[in-house]
Amino acid sequence: MSKLIQQLTIIGVGLIGGSLARALKKADACGEVVGCGRNEDELKKAQALGVIDRYTLDPAEAVVGADVVLLAVPLSAMRGVMTAIAPAISETTIVTDVGSAKASVVNDAIAVFGKIPDNFLPAHPIAGTEKSGVEASFPELFQNHRVILTPLENSSEVALHSVTAMWQCAGAEVVEMSVEHHDRVLAATSHLPHVLAYALVGTLARMDETDEIFQYAAGGFRDFTRIASSDAQMWHDICLANRKEVLNVLGRFRDDLDALTVAFEANDGKAILDCFSRAKRARDHFSTLTAK
Ligand code: NAP
């Protein structure tokens, strides 16, 4: 029986690329998965784990014969990878990515191809963990998570349908939004929390009583800072790629933190309780939405 995808080429067989390969294999949706990266040992590991069927270190060679090419490399590597595959992809090859910021990927594609190719469909799975690499990948990662597609005006229907079907096969709910809207929303919901988690742990790590602070750290600290264990280089790339929107939401947060500081200075219990109560109501509401 014909599969959804005959040959899927994944450039960047790490947590996200590896998890998608595992999910599609589990769903029997893929004929062959070809992996590509810079480190042969990692690719050998991916092959031994059954995540990919074969590999090459050459991106141009990897895309030959692919009906779908997935770019799952860090954002800072996207342009280089696109440049390497540009001469080798056919007009019918569907190219998609998983980058956590979308305007930067679109700009990279325009810089490399002159315009966004009709068959290039930017995407972003809203799923992940603080771990990296193929060994951390697992097939259920996208189950019941959203994947945001950010089609452009000229995006082809075929690309839209294929990429939608691919993510649905991996168990995800597919939604669409504009590139600008995606970057604004994700700056607030994902990029700012990572900036804050890194900043908080950084502040505590520089305090004199660091060892004691970490020794007595309880659930609250763990909940708030888990994501500060995420790969620093990757989040550096993401936050800089979406710098304008991150600065925007960081400014709003700083204003609110300043107001809270003033309330503490003034011993203004009402203002503090108002702030905490508003936040609790919003968080409880969010929990009911995500529990559905
Ligand atoms: P990862 O586990 O570190 O995997 C990245 C992979 O890319 C590695 O296998 C790496 O292998 C490869 N790579 C790096 N530079 C490369 C290059 N120049 N050419 C070819 N391969 C290269 O990272 P990840 O978490 O899967 O993230 C990948 C992408 O997904 C990023 O764009 C990120 O923004 C996005 N994303 C991440 C999450 C998350 O929570 N982790 C969620 C959604 C989207 P080598 O080092 O061997 O080359």
Side-chain angles (χ1 to χ4, degrees):
M1 207 176 68
S2 127
K3 315 262 185 191
L4 179 69
I5 300 170
Q6 305 312 313
Q7 181 190 317
L8 170 68
T9 290
I10 299 183
I11 309 200
V13 191
L15 171 71
I16 301 295
S19 294
L20 182 64
R22 287 186 196 260
L24 294 177
K25 278 178 168 269
K26 201 171 167 189
D28 201 20
C30 217
E32 186 181 40
V33 180
V34 178
C36 178
R38 297 164 306 175
N39 181 338
E40 189 163 8
D41 287 343
E42 286 298 305
L43 292 166
K44 277 188 180 149
K45 213 183 284 169
Q47 194 177 25
L49 289 167
V51 174
I52 55 174
D53 299 303
R54 61 182 170 92
Y55 67 81
T56 162
L57 298 174
D58 178 0
E61 188 188 320
V63 301
V64 173
D67 34 355
V68 178
V69 173
L70 181 85
L71 309 181
V73 296
L75 284 170
S76 59
M78 288 286 180
R79 192 176 293 202
V81 167
M82 288 180 205
T83 305
I85 64 170
I89 46 171
S90 81
E91 277 202 356
T92 54
T93 311
I94 291 162
V95 182
T96 185
D97 76 292
V98 297
S100 304
K102 300 287 20 133
S104 79
V105 172
V106 170
N107 289 337
D108 285 341
I110 292 170
V112 172
F113 299 102
K115 70 172 190 88
I116 276 274
D118 298 353
N119 280 347
F120 189 120
L121 200 81
H124 176 206
I126 311 299
T129 74
E130 69 280 16
K131 306 219 167 61
S132 299
V134 70
E135 282 173 300
S137 66
F138 57 100
E140 297 82 16
L141 179 61
F142 310 109
Q143 207 81 48
N144 302 320
H145 283 266
R146 290 203 170 121
V147 172
I148 301 174
L149 307 186
T150 59
L152 287 306
E153 241 171 48
N154 63 319
S155 294
S156 81
E157 281 298 312
V158 179
L160 188 60
H161 280 132
S162 303
V163 176
T164 301
M166 177 179 82
W167 283 111
Q168 284 172 340
C169 239
E173 181 196 343
V174 176
V175 298
E176 288 175 35
M177 60 177 72
S178 71
V179 168
E180 298 73 24
H181 190 61
H182 169 280
D183 284 1
R184 202 173 321 122
V185 170
L186 269 293
T189 56
S190 171
H191 309 166
L192 178 68
H194 278 81
V195 171
L196 299 186
Y198 284 126
L200 175 68
V201 176
T203 301
L204 297 186
R206 284 197 312 275
M207 285 168 71
D208 289 343
E209 311 80 10
T210 297
D211 285 350
E212 200 176 16
I213 290 169
F214 289 135
Q215 207 172 331
Y216 292 108
F221 176 84
R222 244 174 244 125
D223 287 352
F224 192 88
T225 61
R226 177 183 60 79
I227 54 178
S229 289
S230 304
D231 187 81
Q233 181 66 48
M234 188 178 86
W235 282 97
H236 154 277
D237 286 7
I238 294 168
C239 293
L240 273 187
N242 200 20
R243 183 169 154 267
K244 191 174 124 253
E245 295 299 345
V246 169
L247 270 175
N248 198 6
V249 69
L250 202 52
R252 290 181 65 155
F253 180 74
R254 202 178 41 214
D255 290 347
D256 287 347
L257 209 52
D258 284 347
L260 205 50
T261 306
V262 168
F264 273 103
E265 281 165 354
N267 205 12
D268 184 349
K270 181 177 176 313
I272 294 167
L273 185 59
D274 281 352
C275 168
F276 289 6
S277 304
R278 229 179 7 253
K280 177 176 163 44
R281 274 197 303 279
R283 182 64 171 83
D284 289 349
H285 177 61
F286 164 76
S287 300
T288 60
L289 291 180
T290 51
K292 278 178 196 163

